[in-house]
Amino acid sequence: MSGGTLTAVLAAFVIYLLLMIIIGALYMKKTNNSEDYFLGGRGLSGWIAALSAQASDMSGWLLMGLPGTIYALGTGQSWIAIGLLLGTIFNWVCISSRLRRYTITANNSLTLPEFFENRFRDKKRILLLISSIVIVIFFLVYTASALAAGGKLFNSVFGLDYHIALAIGAAVILIYTFMGGFMAVCTTDFIQGTLMLIGLLVVPIVAYVLMDGNIISLLNQSGVEGGADGYLNFFSNGTRSYSAVEIISQLAWGLGYCGMPHILTRFMAIRNEKELKKSRVIAIIWVVISLGAACVIGVFGRAYLYPTLLGTDGAASTENVFIEMIIKIFTQDLALPFIGGLFLCGILAAIMSTADSQLLVTASSVSEDLYHNFVSKDADSGKILKISRITVLVVAVLAFLIAWDPNSSIMGLVSN
């Protein structure tokens, strides 16, 4: 990119990142106790609950991992997206209202481990202990996947060293999560979810127009295994057919929704049952459009970026397909670098919306579930709030270290 183009893209990033920090600072004044910090006083509106739940769920995996694996291997990889769609629908239809109702009945539980203990009257606190430890361990890796995605984004767009890029992304996420807690996270996630959706819709449509709809020919020229027919076959993985076990394994990703704390806490925090019904419709529509568009981006990116082939010698990773499409469309073909910068912020939004939620859930497990219940039972709400903010800092540092390897795969980290 030329100097002027790079400046325009950088301006979009700076404006976006400053907005996130300002939101964190505004909500810091309204965060007075641990219930405010973890559930926002149970005051989420339907729109914010829906978009923040889905944005925090999908992460950099939606805009980098999924399009990247489809770019490389074909539409057979879409079974994961189908599984996630089914899991999302089941979660909102069958779990959301029950969880909202019972967490209040079960002694106004603030976290999922606390709900398990209260709901099943576990006097020995085995459920609380095990679920808290599981959350802390695996969410460390999940947070690391988001930070790694941020590092790759800054590295790809601005040519920054991966480790410096990793530090910048982690620092911004840490600042507004540390300050504003749950409401800051949900409000920023709402903005991020909207930005993600716009980018997912606009970029493939523009790419299609610029290619004059000549997808099949370009796919064949790009050397996809099995030709365009095999590449676009949902039951094919290049030159071979998918087995039933492989399809079922990919669909099974959707089972995770029934226990993802950063999504389920949104159900617990919704203002009332009426708002929850509204959230359900909004969230399901959002996820249908977003997953479908992400799969299309993988296919269109393979055609649009040709003769460049990602993942080959000297080229960017296949997980950068969406980034490379935005750069080519808005800095080369259309010469609208500031708009391109805003769409690149959509990828950053996907990354940040997951990392902030996971930081907060991990902090709640450490401070509320482990510290308050096993270390200092007499700790007041103010002290727990202080411990929560310290935990957010520690978890961010540990996730930063896990993501240190620039060759780490976003898809691989999320899979783990």
Side-chain angles (χ1 to χ4, degrees):
M1 286 189 280
S2 66
T5 300
L6 194 62
T7 301
V9 173
L10 182 60
F13 269 77
V14 170
I15 291 169
Y16 172 76
L17 293 173
L18 284 175
L19 176 62
M20 298 300 103
I21 293 172
I22 289 168
I23 290 170
L26 290 173
Y27 277 106
M28 188 174 186
K29 298 175 182 178
K30 300 177 183 180
T31 304
N32 301 312
N33 53 51
S34 56
E35 184 173 4
D36 289 342
Y37 198 71
F38 296 140
L39 288 182
R42 296 189 192 268
L44 278 192
S45 68
W47 277 94
I48 291 181
L51 265 67
S52 68
Q54 296 315 127
S56 67
D57 159 39
M58 288 304 174
S59 75
W61 175 87
L62 176 70
L63 300 188
M64 295 178 73
L66 179 60
T69 193
I70 288 175
Y71 175 98
L73 302 172
T75 55
Q77 297 295 308
S78 300
W79 288 107
I80 294 176
I82 295 168
L84 294 179
L85 172 60
L86 295 175
T88 299
I89 294 171
F90 180 85
N91 211 20
W92 279 99
V93 171
C94 299
I95 293 177
S96 60
S97 58
R98 290 176 174 87
L99 187 64
R100 169 67 173 69
R101 197 176 306 125
Y102 279 111
T103 49
I104 295 173
T105 304
N107 201 26
N108 195 31
S109 305
L110 298 183
T111 66
L112 275 179
E114 187 180 6
F115 165 68
F116 293 146
E117 179 188 34
N118 293 332
R119 176 72 177 81
F120 298 105
R121 299 179 176 86
D122 179 21
K123 304 298 182 185
K124 295 182 180 179
R125 297 195 154 178
I126 294 171
L127 280 173
L128 178 75
L129 180 63
I130 292 175
S131 54
S132 300
I133 291 172
V134 167
I135 286 171
V136 171
I137 292 172
F138 288 99
F139 265 47
L140 260 177
V141 182
Y142 208 164
T143 306
S145 75
L147 297 186
K152 291 184 178 186
L153 173 64
F154 282 112
N155 171 261
S156 179
V157 175
F158 301 112
L160 286 175
D161 175 77
Y162 170 80
H163 300 111
I164 295 173
L166 186 68
I168 293 171
V172 173
I173 295 165
L174 176 61
I175 289 169
Y176 73 78
T177 306
F178 180 90
M179 290 191 299
F182 187 78
M183 285 307 298
V185 165
C186 287
T187 304
T188 54
D189 285 358
F190 172 78
I191 296 169
Q192 290 158 349
T194 304
L195 195 56
M196 288 162 64
L197 186 62
I198 294 170
L200 281 164
L201 287 173
V202 171
V203 171
I205 291 171
V206 175
Y208 183 83
V209 171
L210 290 173
M211 289 185 289
D212 295 322
N214 192 21
I215 307 291
I216 303 299
S217 174
L218 288 167
L219 285 176
N220 282 319
Q221 291 176 53
S222 73
V224 291
E225 283 193 51
D229 290 341
Y231 184 80
L232 296 173
N233 187 341
F234 277 80
F235 296 93
S236 173
N237 186 5
T239 55
R240 69 175 182 83
S241 298
Y242 270 116
S243 68
V245 171
E246 286 176 311
I247 291 174
I248 292 168
S249 296
Q250 292 193 24
L251 288 172
W253 277 50
L255 292 172
Y257 280 102
C258 303
M260 285 188 176
H262 57 303
I263 299 172
L264 300 184
T265 50
R266 265 62 176 188
F267 302 161
M268 295 160 61
I270 291 176
R271 188 179 300 146
N272 53 48
E273 296 270 343
K274 184 179 178 182
E275 288 294 310
L276 196 147
K277 289 177 182 177
K278 185 199 299 182
S279 292
R280 184 180 298 145
V281 175
I282 296 165
I284 291 172
I285 292 172
W286 188 96
V287 82
V288 167
I289 296 172
S290 297
L291 285 171
C295 294
V296 169
I297 284 166
V299 175
F300 282 15
R302 180 87 187 202
Y304 176 66
L305 295 174
Y306 183 77
T308 300
L309 289 176
L310 302 180
T312 56
D313 293 340
S317 161
T318 58
E319 292 185 333
N320 286 359
V321 57
F322 194 35
I323 298 172
E324 296 298 322
M325 285 178 75
I326 292 170
I327 291 173
K328 185 178 178 184
I329 289 171
F330 293 101
T331 66
Q332 297 175 28
D333 292 343
L334 300 182
L336 297 168
F338 184 76
I339 302 298
L342 291 177
F343 283 123
L344 288 169
C345 286
I347 301 176
L348 184 61
I351 295 159
M352 294 171 72
S353 62
T354 298
D356 56 21
S357 298
Q358 291 161 347
L359 279 174
L360 200 60
V361 167
T362 310
S364 69
S365 280
V366 172
S367 58
E368 183 69 31
D369 299 326
L370 297 176
Y371 176 80
H372 191 200
N373 286 289
F374 293 99
V375 179
S376 181
K377 295 180 181 179
D378 299 326
D380 60 23
S381 187
K383 187 168 186 180
I384 295 170
L385 180 59
K386 192 178 294 182
I387 294 295
S388 301
R389 286 186 166 136
I390 293 171
T391 306
V392 165
L393 178 61
V394 173
V395 171
V397 171
L398 292 174
F400 175 83
L401 295 174
I402 293 171
W404 186 256
D405 181 7
N407 297 315
S408 58
S409 163
I410 299 164
M411 194 73 170
L413 286 168
V414 175
S415 297
N416 289 328

